[in-house]
Amino acid sequence: MKTIINPPYTDWAEYCERPSFPAEDLEEKVAAVLEEVRLEGDKALKKLTLAFDKVEVENIKVSAMEIEKAGSEVSDDLKEAIAVAAGNIRIFHSAQQVKEPSVETMTGIKCWRKSVAIEKVGLYIPGGSAPLFSTVLMLGIPAMIAGCGKIVLCTPPDKNGNINPAVLYTASFLGINEIYKVGGAQAVAALAFGTKTVPKVDKIFGPGNQYVTKAKELVQKNGIAIDLPAGPSEVLVIADSTADADFVASDLLSQAEHGPDSQVVLVSDSVELVEKVKIALNEQLSVLPRASVAEKALENSFSVVLNSITECIDFSNLYAPEHLILAIEKAEEFADQIQNAGSVFLGNYSCESAGDYASGTNHTLPTNGYARNYSGVSLDSFVKKITFQNISKSGLQKIGRSIEVMAEAEQLLAHKNAVSIRLKKIQDEK
Amino acid sequence: MKTIINPPYTDWAEYCERPSFPAEDLEEKVAAVLEEVRLEGDKALKKLTLAFDKVEVENIKVSAMEIEKAGSEVSDDLKEAIAVAAGNIRIFHSAQQVKEPSVETMTGIKCWRKSVAIEKVGLYIPGGSAPLFSTVLMLGIPAMIAGCGKIVLCTPPDKNGNINPAVLYTASFLGINEIYKVGGAQAVAALAFGTKTVPKVDKIFGPGNQYVTKAKELVQKNGIAIDLPAGPSEVLVIADSTADADFVASDLLSQAEHGPDSQVVLVSDSVELVEKVKIALNEQLSVLPRASVAEKALENSFSVVLNSITECIDFSNLYAPEHLILAIEKAEEFADQIQNAGSVFLGNYSCESAGDYASGTNHTLPTNGYARNYSGVSLDSFVKKITFQNISKSGLQKIGRSIEVMAEAEQLLAHKNAVSIRLKKIQDEK
């Protein structure tokens, strides 16, 4: 991890660019998968699962018996931990059910908004090396609170055609029992177009590799919404001389172990702290099972030394990190200066993995600089807000003239007439 | 406008498909414009404005003098109407500033969300036949309330190189004085990539023709967010026998005059009402200046007669209209059955044009069935919600074990270690 000391401001933007490793012909390959599933449905899903996941799947839908069996395979310790995390996530996301007031913008003109659940949502849970049951919590809980009518989950089977028991248990624990053994771009296609087995949904959530991400991007052209444009996970830590170098190193590594394309950035006003962190990184790295992954991620990573914490925050706002840790004195006092970040962790004991699993905040967050213009997943992601208005005769009499004048100026005379015809009838009734 | 009487439920989905008239080679043409602007900047903007808007523009940025002059060209009547509309829009969108509570999910674990304005936003205002100054209000007011640091507006010049005075006046009335004379896909490109004159923004808002819409879709790959995927405007009116056929016809026409690709749908439990509306449509159409546009839109439109108002609402929920008018008895009692719609107008005097201009609700709404999974533009569209957490030592002691167990089960040992290393230090301090 290279260190840059006091780079000139004009160079900052360049450091804030994310490394990029696009697969060759990604879009063509994914488009072909989408088309195959659209045309061939379940047959294509089985064929593609055999090709990519190396397993022949008889029943795409997970059976009630498989779900029950999973429950017996998960340890009580893990069940207890999942329950604790679920409780906190439920508390935090329930607090997002804030009702807006109905307003009377003028006497007789009542306007309000109402949150209505998106009817059908699809949750994608990656398989691969780590069974991400925590993502089931992060997507499933707000979907349940929102009241989505249909919540379905897709996740790839392992080489024996099974789904990780922790994933099945967590889904079932939340009341999600419609689970399909399909992964990759083909899962996104199934959710977008529907097959005989897998239902078409209105919005697709969840992380995934480049193929999944590209598939989510492409199906938006077919009227499907997605949670977020996604990229590799990332963390930026701002640390001052009061930070604990061991803690900082552990936070950087917990991001770096996600994948070789993850990026971790350390920003500090103290060269000494940066040096201490580098030593701690080497110590901790040596005992990590995923050390080779983390090492590769560290190669794309860097630390920056700047003149003050305010400058460090300026740099972070330009970078717009998915996760931002403020390991600095009086961290909370700097919270108001944060302009662009997905989720912010304040102080030495707010480690990122708390938010990844159990503190209550969501871990599905904007990456790749999207924290400038996107929020992470929340209750909002599972609803749409419909506006309503109820205008009385006297309300229309009050506002009618303004509408007529504006419609006429926009040369939309039928818009004007919709008011005039009503005002005339009100007049005639008198 | 054809009438369908009691279609079987299995046919409903087909009626809910929108007509589609894609321009040939749309994506290729737009991609070429984007690339040209990305490479050539202002030079490309001037060249493309000459090619498409038939005018040579010296200064892309509108001068202070032009803005001042516009003020003197707008009638006092229109200024008054704009002020009334702005007041109502401000009231409604300010009511969306609802603060969520900070929650302590467990003792020592404090989590909250904070709305932070998107720093730089670009508002696109179409030119063409009608000068849509109302859209300046609908996008500019929530942007100002949100506190966006930079609000820029792009709109195409007319053949003399001028911007419509009502557009300039409205922008300036709101305090938006950074206005550029550029339209079409080239305006979207300028906002997405930045040029020497036009600044790069984080999110692009506003309606437009197919070229603008496609450009907005494409620049999302470059890290730019957009307000909504867009399609032609549409209205669905549910009317029972108590509805006023003249009012219903005027509402259908005020949507139909938007463009030949607009769609209007009448759904009713009364054949008589539908027949009366058709007569009223013909009467009102004959005196409309934009009759030929509205006639073409009516050719793509239809009415459906169903058995009950509940069935009518079911149909509407499947159609997911941008605008929904409930011209029925006790309309407000049916509001809770609405699942999919952009904006809903209740009763005989809540005409759509009220919401288009002045009642206070936003007129930038999901079309083309996107009301299933998208909200219209609101204050939310101009902010991102950043999550924060502050965990104390004792908070981490309470939740630490759960995180360790979950991280271990997901085989993410560095995540676990970030907690373990802290718990150990707390232990050692004792």
Side-chain angles (χ1 to χ4, degrees), chain B residues 5-233:
Chain B
I5 311 273
N6 261 319
Y9 181 75
T10 46
D11 288 0
W12 286 17
E14 200 181 315
Y15 290 116
C16 290
E17 303 244 334
R18 306 303 199 270
S20 147
F21 315 92
E24 220 177 314
D25 302 327
L26 180 63
E27 184 152 341
E28 289 75 5
K29 282 180 190 161
V30 170
V33 166
L34 296 183
E35 191 61 6
E36 196 173 341
V37 174
R38 195 177 67 79
L39 295 174
E40 305 270 341
D42 287 341
K43 194 179 139 199
L45 295 186
K46 290 185 181 183
K47 192 183 131 197
L48 292 160
T49 301
L50 182 58
F52 296 129
D53 303 301
K54 314 292 176 205
V55 60
E56 214 157 321
V57 166
E58 178 102 20
N59 293 308
I60 297 171
K61 187 167 180 179
V62 174
S63 70
M65 212 192 292
E66 286 173 286
I67 294 173
E68 205 187 312
K69 184 161 163 277
S72 68
E73 287 169 356
V74 173
S75 73
D76 288 345
D77 252 15
L78 184 54
K79 284 181 182 170
E80 172 63 23
I82 288 170
V84 168
N88 290 343
I89 296 164
R90 202 170 281 126
I91 291 171
F92 185 64
H93 290 77
S94 293
Q96 293 163 10
Q97 292 174 300
V98 176
K99 220 182 158 202
E100 285 169 21
S102 168
V103 294
E104 206 163 357
T105 54
M106 287 175 124
T107 313
I109 304 177
K110 219 173 76 179
C111 302
W112 65 100
R113 284 211 301 175
K114 199 182 137 199
S115 285
V116 178
I118 294 173
E119 202 183 334
K120 299 176 213 158
V121 297
L123 316 183
Y124 182 75
I125 305 297
S129 52
L132 298 183
F133 60 87
S134 60
T135 303
V136 180
L137 295 174
M138 294 296 176
L139 301 177
I141 290 172
M144 297 296 283
I145 296 172
C148 299
K150 197 176 202 43
I151 305 172
V152 306
L153 191 154
C154 287
T155 188
D158 65 18
K159 278 177 188 133
N160 302 312
N162 298 319
I163 307 293
N164 182 283
V167 168
L168 286 187
Y169 168 76
T170 306
S172 167
F173 171 76
L174 297 180
I176 300 168
N177 292 302
E178 199 169 337
I179 304 168
Y180 299 96
K181 293 180 188 178
V182 58
Q186 58 273 24
V188 176
L191 293 168
F193 306 123
T195 71
K196 207 176 157 192
T197 308
V198 184
K200 177 176 161 52
V201 301
D202 301 316
K203 190 166 183 176
I204 299 174
F205 294 79
N209 61 20
Q210 287 187 55
Y211 297 90
V212 170
T213 300
K214 178 56 78 177
K216 284 169 67 186
E217 179 194 314
L218 294 179
V219 296
Q220 290 183 84
K221 293 184 189 175
N222 300 91
I224 310 299
I226 65 167
D227 49 356
L228 278 173
S233 201

Side-chain angles (χ1 to χ4, degrees), chain A residues 98 105 134 202 244 251 254 257 332 340 343 348 350 359 373 384 387 389-391 410 415 422 425, chain B residues 98 105 134 202 244 251 254 257 332 340 343 348 350 359 373 384 387 389-391 410 415 422 425:
Chain A
V98 177
T105 53
S134 60
D202 301 315
D244 183 307
D251 291 329
S254 73
E257 78 171 338
E332 203 155 333
N340 299 319
S343 197
N348 287 325
S350 304
S359 60
N373 40 22
K384 63 257 172 181
T387 50
Q389 60 201 285
N390 199 341
I391 303 180
E410 288 195 353
H415 282 67
R422 285 170 164 92
K425 201 154 288 192
Chain B
V98 176
T105 54
S134 60
D202 301 316
D244 184 307
D251 291 329
S254 73
E257 77 171 339
E332 202 155 333
N340 298 319
S343 196
N348 287 325
S350 303
S359 60
N373 40 24
K384 61 260 174 181
T387 50
Q389 60 201 286
N390 199 342
I391 303 181
E410 288 195 352
H415 283 66
R422 286 171 166 92
K425 201 154 290 192

Side-chain angles (χ1 to χ4, degrees), chain A residues 53-377:
Chain A
D53 303 301
K54 313 291 177 206
V55 60
E56 213 159 319
V57 166
E58 178 102 20
N59 294 309
I60 298 170
K61 187 168 180 177
V62 173
S63 70
M65 212 191 291
E66 285 174 285
I67 294 174
E68 205 187 313
K69 184 160 163 276
S72 68
E73 287 169 357
V74 173
S75 74
D76 287 345
D77 252 15
L78 184 53
K79 284 181 181 169
E80 171 62 22
I82 288 171
V84 169
N88 289 345
I89 296 165
R90 202 169 282 127
I91 290 171
F92 185 65
H93 289 77
S94 293
Q96 293 164 10
Q97 292 174 298
V98 177
K99 221 183 156 203
E100 285 169 20
S102 169
V103 293
E104 206 164 356
T105 53
M106 288 175 123
T107 314
I109 304 177
K110 219 173 77 181
C111 302
W112 66 99
R113 285 211 302 175
K114 201 183 135 196
S115 286
V116 178
I118 294 174
E119 203 183 336
K120 300 177 212 158
V121 297
L123 316 183
Y124 182 75
I125 305 297
S129 51
L132 297 183
F133 60 86
S134 60
T135 303
V136 180
L137 295 174
M138 294 295 176
L139 301 177
I141 291 172
M144 299 296 280
I145 296 172
C148 298
K150 196 175 204 42
I151 305 172
V152 307
L153 191 154
C154 287
T155 189
D158 66 18
K159 277 178 188 135
N160 301 313
N162 298 321
I163 307 294
N164 182 283
V167 169
L168 286 187
Y169 168 76
T170 307
S172 167
F173 171 76
L174 297 180
I176 300 169
N177 291 301
E178 197 169 337
I179 303 167
Y180 299 96
K181 293 180 187 178
V182 58
Q186 58 272 27
V188 175
L191 293 168
F193 305 123
T195 70
K196 209 178 154 188
T197 308
V198 183
K200 176 177 161 52
V201 301
D202 301 315
K203 190 166 182 176
I204 300 174
F205 294 80
N209 60 21
Q210 288 186 56
Y211 296 92
V212 170
T213 299
K214 179 56 79 176
K216 283 170 67 186
E217 179 194 313
L218 293 179
V219 297
Q220 290 184 84
K221 293 184 191 176
N222 300 91
I224 310 300
I226 65 166
D227 50 357
L228 278 173
S233 201
E234 60 199 25
V235 70
L236 188 148
V237 181
I238 299 179
D240 64 13
S241 58
T242 70
D244 183 307
D246 293 330
F247 295 179
V248 173
S250 74
D251 291 329
L252 294 173
L253 285 174
S254 73
Q255 196 51 240
E257 78 171 338
H258 267 299
D261 52 0
S262 289
Q263 194 176 53
V264 306
V265 179
L266 171 61
V267 188
S268 179
D269 60 351
S270 158
V271 181
E272 294 72 32
L273 187 272
V274 171
E275 291 309 316
K276 279 192 224 160
V277 170
K278 280 186 178 176
I279 295 166
L281 274 175
N282 282 331
E283 282 171 19
Q284 293 180 27
L285 195 55
S286 61
V287 297
L288 272 191
R290 293 168 71 98
S292 66
V293 169
E295 263 168 12
K296 282 215 184 87
L298 289 176
E299 283 169 22
N300 310 318
S301 300
F302 60 94
S303 50
V304 188
V305 179
L306 296 167
N307 290 313
S308 65
I309 293 303
T310 298
E311 266 194 23
C312 294
I313 291 177
D314 289 345
F315 185 90
S316 175
N317 282 335
L318 192 66
Y319 185 90
E322 179 191 13
H323 303 97
L324 169 61
I325 300 178
L326 294 189
I328 55 177
E329 241 190 327
K330 299 182 184 161
E332 203 155 333
E333 288 177 17
F334 289 89
D336 275 349
Q337 294 180 32
I338 308 303
Q339 292 299 318
N340 299 319
S343 197
V344 184
F345 301 76
L346 302 172
N348 287 325
Y349 292 89
S350 304
C351 54
E352 191 210 300
S353 48
D356 286 341
Y357 287 111
S359 60
T361 58
N362 209 289
H363 77 197
T364 308
L365 295 165
T367 54
N368 213 7
Y370 280 109
R372 269 190 299 274
N373 40 22
Y374 281 87
S375 312
V377 164

